[in-house]
Amino acid sequence: ESDATQAKEAAPAQQAPAAKDYASLPDTSAEKSVDLEKMAGQGSPVGDINFDFDSFSILPDAREILKRNADYFLKNKVSSIIVEGHCDERGTAEYNMALGERRAEETKKYLVNLGIKESAMKTVSFGEERPLVAESNEEAWAKNRRAHFVVNP
C-alpha cells in the first residue's frame, strides 16, 4: 500500500463525537466480575465482535455472535455487562476514543434490540489503549477493532 493510501485511510471519514469524560464513571474494579477476554483460553461462552476499519457498523458475522451472547446473558441472568469499545492504533488517540465509544454504543443498542435490559449495560471506550495484539500489521489491527464484554454474574 502506498503512503498516500494509508494517510487517506487514517483520516477520519466521518466526524466522531467527542470522547466522554471517563473519570466520572464508577470504579468497578472492586466488583466481582468475569473478564471474558482473560477466559478466552478457557472457552468463554461470550465472544467479542470485530469491526471494519474506521467503522462502527455491526457486521453480519458479529450479529450471530451477539445473538449467542444475548442468549447467554438471558439464560444466566447476569446482573451487569460492560461493553468495551476498542480500536487499532491508526488514527489519533482522540478519534479512536470516540470511535471506540460508538462501537460500544452500537453493540449495546443491538443487544437491547435482542432483549437485554439497557439498564444492565454500561459502555466504555479504551480507543487504542488496550490492544488485544500488540503488533502493527493488518491481522493485528483487525483483531484490535472490537467490542469486548465484561460480565458481572
Side-chain angles (χ1 to χ4, degrees), residues 40-51:
Q42 302 170 16
S44 172
V46 177
D48 289 358
I49 64 167
N50 295 95
F51 296 87

Side-chain angles (χ1 to χ4, degrees), residues 35 37 84-87 124-133 143-144 146 148 150:
D35 185 336
E37 199 165 271
E84 299 176 352
H86 296 268
C87 299
V124 64
S125 175
F126 289 107
E128 63 191 63
E129 300 303 315
R130 293 189 181 179
L132 187 61
V133 180
K143 290 177 182 176
N144 290 333
R146 70 196 189 285
H148 172 70
V150 177

Side-chain angles (χ1 to χ4, degrees), residues 9-67:
E9 286 181 350
Q14 55 200 346
Q15 183 63 36
K20 287 185 179 179
D21 177 12
Y22 293 103
S24 65
L25 287 176
D27 179 9
T28 58
S29 59
E31 292 179 21
K32 180 182 176 191
S33 66
V34 179
D35 185 336
L36 298 170
E37 199 165 271
K38 289 179 182 168
M39 285 180 58
Q42 302 170 16
S44 172
V46 177
D48 289 358
I49 64 167
N50 295 95
F51 296 87
D52 283 339
F53 176 71
D54 198 29
S55 173
F56 55 91
S57 297
I58 306 292
L59 299 168
D61 63 324
R63 291 183 190 121
E64 293 305 313
I65 294 168
L66 290 176
K67 286 177 191 172

